[in-house]
């Protein structure tokens, strides 16, 4: 069956402006245009739009979606299976948050008691899911499934006060790194304090610590542009500076 742009927009629950924008980005083009200029979409375009909307539901950027759909050997059925798995994870996360809110309400009414750990459930799982989506493939390739699973378990098992300490450490690392970077010497006392704070931060997640692994993480901050961008928000070049400080600290 074929659809005009208006009918497809209504069917999919998107705006005609969105469909035109997808066309401009070469993400979804109509099958043909009529002599009077109407865009017409066929079955293949309907299926492609469904895939696009699934990916968007998982917060994947349009440029990345375009690369995925245009990749040689793209398999729509395999992609749908991946979508399904991701949606089950998302549903489990929402279910956990709903249970958390419900129990919090019952606790406020005096109907039950809630431990500090229970109050934090759901939020930590969301953090794990976010980390897996963003960095999971690279981290698992470098450190193995067992190590990553143990790290995730430590994060999920944190109490609210423990997670607050992790967040405080993260802020202190950035503040100290900025001051040390301004001094310009990765071997300085302030730079080495930054490296020590970073080790303390890592130990909240890692099942075991080793200097070699610490150096490996620091090198990943330089090699992976996503990590580099995170630390270079402190100051351009801060990721390399932190790597150098950690190498000195570990050796």
């Amino acid at each position: 069956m074929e659809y005009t742009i208006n009918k497809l927009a209504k069917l999919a629950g998107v705006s005609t402006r969105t469909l035109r924008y997808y066309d401009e980005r070469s993400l979804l083009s109509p099958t043909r245009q009529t002599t009077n200029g109407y865009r017409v979409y066929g079955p293949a375009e309907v299926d492609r739009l469904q895939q696009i909307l699934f990916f968007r539901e998982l917060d994947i950027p349009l440029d990345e979606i375009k690369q995925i759909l245009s990749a040689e050997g793209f398999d729509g059925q395999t992609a749908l299976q991946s979508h399904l798995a991701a949606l089950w994870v998302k549903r489990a996360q929402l279910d956990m948050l709903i249970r958390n809110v419900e129990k919090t309400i019952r606790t406020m009414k005096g109907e039950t008691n809630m431990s500090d750990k229970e109050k934090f459930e759901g939020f930590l799982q969301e953090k794990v899911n976010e980390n897996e989506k963003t960095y999971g493939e690279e981290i698992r390739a470098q450190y193995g499934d067992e190590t990553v699973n143990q790290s995730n378990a430590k994060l999920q098992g944190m109490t609210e006060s423990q997670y607050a300490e992790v967040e405080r450490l993260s802020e202190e690392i950035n503040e100290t790194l900025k001051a040390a970077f301004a001094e310009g010497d990765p071997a300085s006392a302030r730079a080495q304090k930054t490296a020590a704070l970073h080790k303390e931060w890592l130990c909240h997640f890692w099942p075991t610590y080793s200097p070699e692994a610490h150096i490996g993480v620091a090198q990943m901050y330089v090699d992976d542009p996503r990590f580099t961008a995170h630390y270079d928000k402190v100051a351009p070049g801060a990721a390399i500076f932190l790597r150098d400080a950690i190498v000195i600290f570990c050796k």
Side-chain angles (χ1 to χ4, degrees), residues 185-205:
D185 181 7
S188 69
R190 199 186 303 270
Q192 291 305 292
K193 179 184 177 182
T194 305
L197 288 169
H198 191 266
K199 174 186 175 181
E200 185 180 350
W201 177 81
L202 281 177
C203 287
H204 280 279
F205 301 98

Side-chain angles (χ1 to χ4, degrees), residues 57-117:
E57 188 66 25
L58 298 172
D59 298 323
I60 297 175
L62 289 179
D63 287 341
E64 190 174 339
I65 294 173
K66 182 179 177 180
Q67 290 177 0
I68 294 170
L69 295 179
S70 302
E72 185 178 349
F74 172 77
D75 185 338
Q77 183 175 337
T78 301
L80 284 173
Q81 290 172 338
S82 298
H83 291 319
L84 181 60
L87 289 170
W88 275 114
V89 170
K90 194 171 184 178
R91 176 177 174 175
Q93 167 67 18
L94 288 172
D95 287 344
M96 188 179 295
L97 288 172
I98 289 170
R99 290 194 298 270
N100 189 310
V101 172
E102 289 175 340
K103 190 166 185 179
T104 300
I105 292 172
R106 293 198 304 273
T107 300
M108 289 179 172
K109 290 180 177 179
E111 298 172 356
T112 187
N113 292 317
M114 195 175 191
S115 68
D116 287 342
K117 182 179 178 181

Side-chain angles (χ1 to χ4, degrees), residues 13-218:
V14 298
S15 66
T16 56
R17 177 181 292 182
T18 295
L19 294 180
R20 290 190 181 94
Y21 181 65
Y22 288 169
D23 190 11
E24 292 171 8
R25 299 286 296 270
S26 300
L27 185 61
L28 178 71
S29 299
T31 307
R32 59 187 175 86
Q33 283 194 333
T34 63
T35 53
N36 53 2
Y38 286 107
R39 290 176 166 87
V40 177
Y41 297 83
E45 288 69 42
V46 171
D47 290 346
R48 186 176 176 93
L49 177 58
Q50 183 196 38
Q51 290 281 7
I52 292 169
L53 296 181
F54 275 136
F55 281 120
R56 291 298 292 144
E57 188 66 25
L58 298 172
D59 298 323
I60 297 175
L62 289 179
D63 287 341
E64 190 174 339
I65 294 173
K66 182 179 177 180
Q67 290 177 0
I68 294 170
L69 295 179
S70 302
E72 185 178 349
F74 172 77
D75 185 338
Q77 183 175 337
T78 301
L80 284 173
Q81 290 172 338
S82 298
H83 291 319
L84 181 60
L87 289 170
W88 275 114
V89 170
K90 194 171 184 178
R91 176 177 174 175
Q93 167 67 18
L94 288 172
D95 287 344
M96 188 179 295
L97 288 172
I98 289 170
R99 290 194 298 270
N100 189 310
V101 172
E102 289 175 340
K103 190 166 185 179
T104 300
I105 292 172
R106 293 198 304 273
T107 300
M108 289 179 172
K109 290 180 177 179
E111 298 172 356
T112 187
N113 292 317
M114 195 175 191
S115 68
D116 287 342
K117 182 179 178 181
E118 287 177 312
K119 293 175 184 177
F120 227 43
E121 285 178 353
F123 301 106
L124 293 178
Q125 181 62 51
E126 184 177 11
K127 187 71 173 177
V128 168
N129 294 343
E130 181 184 335
N131 290 341
E132 282 284 355
K133 183 173 71 174
T134 308
Y135 308 115
E137 185 176 344
E138 294 82 356
I139 296 295
R140 288 181 180 276
Q142 183 163 349
Y143 296 102
D145 289 338
E146 183 177 356
T147 299
V148 174
N149 291 340
Q150 289 176 345
S151 176
N152 287 342
K154 285 194 72 173
L155 175 56
Q156 289 170 298
M158 286 182 184
T159 64
E160 186 172 358
S161 60
Q162 288 172 330
Y163 189 73
E165 173 62 13
V166 167
E167 292 289 279
R168 185 199 65 77
L169 272 172
S170 181
E171 292 178 6
E172 187 177 1
I173 288 169
N174 288 341
E175 292 170 1
T176 311
L177 174 61
K178 184 175 183 179
F181 182 80
E183 294 174 353
D185 181 7
S188 69
R190 199 186 303 270
Q192 291 305 292
K193 179 184 177 182
T194 305
L197 288 169
H198 191 266
K199 174 186 175 181
E200 185 180 350
W201 177 81
L202 281 177
C203 287
H204 280 279
F205 301 98
W206 285 4
T208 57
Y209 172 85
S210 76
E212 294 78 17
H214 195 176
I215 291 173
V217 166

